[in-house]
Amino acid sequence: MEQHILIVGGGFAGVGSALRLARKRLPNVKITIVSDKPHFEYHPALYRLVTGTSPLEVCIPLREVFKGVPIDVIEDRVVEIDKGQKIVKGISGSHYKYDYLLLTLGSETNFFNIPGLEERSFGMKSIKEALELRRHITEVLKNYSIKTKDEQMRATHFVVIGAGPTGVEMSANLIEYARKLALKYGIDQHAITVDLIEAAPRILPQLPEEFTRRIEHHLRGLGVNIFTNRAIEREGIQSVYLKDMELQSMTVIWTAGVKANRLYQDWGFPVGERGCVQVDEYFQPKGMENIFVGGDAAVSEYWGMAQTAYDHGIYIADVIAAKVNSRLLPKFIPKEPVYAIPVGTEWAGVLWGKKKFYGIIGWWLRRSADFISFNLILPPLKALDVFRNGASISTSCKICLEEEKNSGVM
């Protein structure tokens, strides 16, 4: 009798798990992946999309990922799970039966109930959000000359909240990009101001201080103003209010918080801190046999990293294969990721175990990490093609082309 493995989510964990299972060639097993997008989004490069690259460079169509692989790929958004009947229901009205279910729904922005923040700030969790921000930045600077003095000050003042990896990468690239736009539109480049706000005592608080010190020095050298020990209290119309100061800006970018997809809680999964699902050592929620949760919703050591999400997918695939073959289940061994923080043009800080690299060497290590990530989900030649020129493989991705067109950045 054929068994059905159903994977929901087309990110690192879902795609990695699907490819791993397909390579095992399990007898009498059907593999289906359901994703609400027809493409894989390479989130580690979203900050580059905001500051000038094409969305095609961070988007890989799932049909390219699974070309020639015995996996059914379905575009649909899952809205309900019937655990008793072992059925997943899509917004399309379709029902998908499963014997083994892996949920990798990813994360969403956490605004921590701060008044005004969700309505007035820009997020960084998808190609769509990144393109909306890029269009906004272009518009406020393009229209600079017709604004009042106060409006001009707010137009050239950018506020990035959250000095984790995304916030650091974003603020460094933003100040370079905004200065280029300023030159294009006849604005004094010295008028461009980028503030990076962090509630913790220092930037990149999750990483060793001796490593982040050099990154902070380079960030300040680019002209980014860094404010630590400053938590945001609320956001008004073109203003951000901290405990002891007010910042006036037309562009507030929120990178300070993520939480697991709220659907897990809606579907009755045991949810703990940050909305993450409480799972056992095999990434199964308590009392839910043959259901697995991986990626950003499953807390483990080094949780929240793309590399870790991929490792979750690989491990869960091995557990499912062991169950199908009635073998002993393997043990999950967390792998310490390589931390690569790009800070502006051709400069990055890289922490690889106990080794630290900075500058152009760090930049090329980061670019190498991009290629390695592509190679995890694509054959080597296709991975190299994406690495060299994302558009050459992704020009047929209709949704990305449409997003780019709608955002007015083509």
Side-chain angles (χ1 to χ4, degrees):
M1 183 177 176
E2 185 178 66
Q3 297 189 77
H4 191 188
I5 301 172
L6 181 64
I7 299 169
V8 179
F12 272 107
V15 170
S17 185
L19 289 172
R20 179 83 159 195
L21 285 164
R23 293 187 188 111
K24 291 179 180 294
R25 300 185 181 278
L26 300 171
N28 299 317
V29 167
K30 179 183 178 182
I31 304 168
T32 301
I33 185 166
V34 178
S35 174
D36 61 353
K37 301 181 184 71
H39 57 270
F40 168 87
E41 292 189 356
Y42 186 56
H43 285 178
L46 277 179
Y47 75 95
R48 296 205 299 266
L49 173 56
V50 174
T51 56
T53 65
S54 166
L56 304 173
E57 294 184 33
V58 296
C59 165
I60 304 173
L62 289 177
R63 64 174 170 273
E64 293 287 348
V65 175
F66 297 112
K67 190 173 183 178
V69 180
I71 293 176
D72 290 338
V73 181
I74 298 173
E75 184 183 350
D76 199 358
R77 180 160 61 90
V78 171
V79 293
E80 188 179 344
I81 298 176
D82 186 331
K83 304 181 190 74
Q85 297 295 319
K86 293 187 175 182
I87 292 174
V88 166
K89 302 176 183 179
I91 197 170
S92 65
S94 298
H95 290 190
Y96 310 101
K97 291 190 65 68
Y98 68 85
D99 294 286
Y100 299 91
L101 174 64
L102 168 55
L103 298 171
T104 63
L105 302 178
S107 58
E108 57 188 49
T109 304
N110 189 353
F111 294 99
F112 299 107
N113 297 315
I114 298 173
L117 195 61
E118 185 171 1
E119 297 82 7
R120 299 190 178 102
S121 66
F122 291 88
M124 282 288 295
K125 290 296 297 175
S126 68
I127 287 176
K128 183 178 180 180
E129 286 185 334
L131 285 172
E132 287 175 352
L133 174 56
R134 178 168 152 187
R135 182 186 65 242
H136 167 79
I137 293 169
T138 302
E139 286 180 352
V140 297
L141 294 180
K142 185 177 181 180
N143 298 322
Y144 177 87
S145 62
I146 61 174
K147 298 180 185 298
T148 66
K149 292 276 187 187
D150 286 344
E151 289 173 338
Q152 287 178 345
M153 181 196 70
R154 292 194 292 270
T156 55
H157 186 189
F158 303 89
V159 178
V160 180
I161 303 174
T166 301
V168 168
E169 295 161 3
M170 184 69 252
S171 59
N173 279 268
L174 177 58
I175 196 166
E176 293 181 338
Y177 180 63
R179 284 172 177 168
K180 289 179 182 177
L181 287 179
L183 186 64
K184 178 179 178 180
Y185 296 124
I187 304 169
D188 182 1
Q189 289 182 306
H190 294 94
I192 300 296
T193 303
V194 175
D195 293 341
L196 178 60
I197 313 298
E198 172 55 48
R202 60 184 179 86
I203 69 168
L204 300 166
Q206 74 276 35
L207 297 177
E209 185 174 2
E210 63 272 18
F211 169 64
T212 62
R213 196 178 297 119
R214 286 276 298 274
I215 293 175
E216 179 176 346
H217 178 75
H218 187 74
L219 198 58
R220 292 185 186 276
L222 292 175
V224 175
N225 302 315
I226 300 173
F227 298 91
T228 56
N229 287 310
R230 296 287 187 19
I232 181 173
E233 293 187 341
R234 61 188 174 92
E235 182 177 352
I237 299 175
Q238 299 185 2
S239 294
V240 175
Y241 296 89
L242 310 179
K243 184 176 181 180
D244 56 354
M245 62 190 299
E246 176 186 349
L247 302 173
Q248 295 191 349
S249 173
M250 290 184 179
T251 310
V252 177
I253 305 167
W254 176 255
T255 71
V258 296
K259 61 182 178 180
N261 195 301
R262 69 191 70 186
L263 288 175
Y264 290 110
Q265 188 164 4
D266 294 345
W267 294 338
F269 283 73
V271 171
E273 184 182 1
R274 294 190 179 183
C276 292
V277 180
Q278 296 173 338
V279 296
D280 62 18
E281 66 270 33
Y282 305 113
F283 290 86
Q284 293 189 134
K286 185 177 180 181
M288 298 185 185
E289 187 178 2
N290 293 343
I291 297 179
F292 302 84
V293 174
D296 290 343
V299 176
S300 69
E301 194 171 3
Y302 313 121
W303 167 81
M305 301 288 292
Q307 300 160 65
T308 304
Y310 178 79
D311 290 342
H312 285 182
I314 296 300
Y315 171 73
I316 293 170
D318 291 344
V319 170
I320 293 174
K323 281 177 167 283
V324 169
N325 293 321
S326 300
R327 295 177 179 170
L328 290 176
L329 303 185
K331 180 180 179 181
F332 181 66
I333 302 176
K335 299 176 184 177
E336 183 176 7
V338 176
Y339 298 94
I341 315 295
V343 190
T345 303
E346 296 188 346
W347 200 101
V350 175
L351 180 63
W352 193 339
K354 295 183 179 180
K355 296 180 180 179
K356 306 176 187 68
F357 305 90
Y358 302 95
I360 188 67
I361 295 175
W363 173 260
W364 280 111
L365 285 173
R366 165 55 198 256
R367 292 297 289 141
S368 298
D370 288 337
F371 172 71
I372 291 170
S373 296
F374 295 140
N375 199 34
L376 291 174
I377 63 171
L378 289 167
L381 290 179
K382 283 188 178 180
L384 185 60
D385 196 24
V386 173
F387 177 72
R388 287 176 172 173
N389 180 12
S392 67
I393 192 172
S394 303
T395 49
S396 58
C397 181
K398 294 181 180 178
I399 191 167
C400 292
L401 290 169
E402 190 64 25
E403 293 285 9
E404 192 171 29
K405 180 179 178 181
N406 290 340
S407 295
V409 295
M410 291 191 74

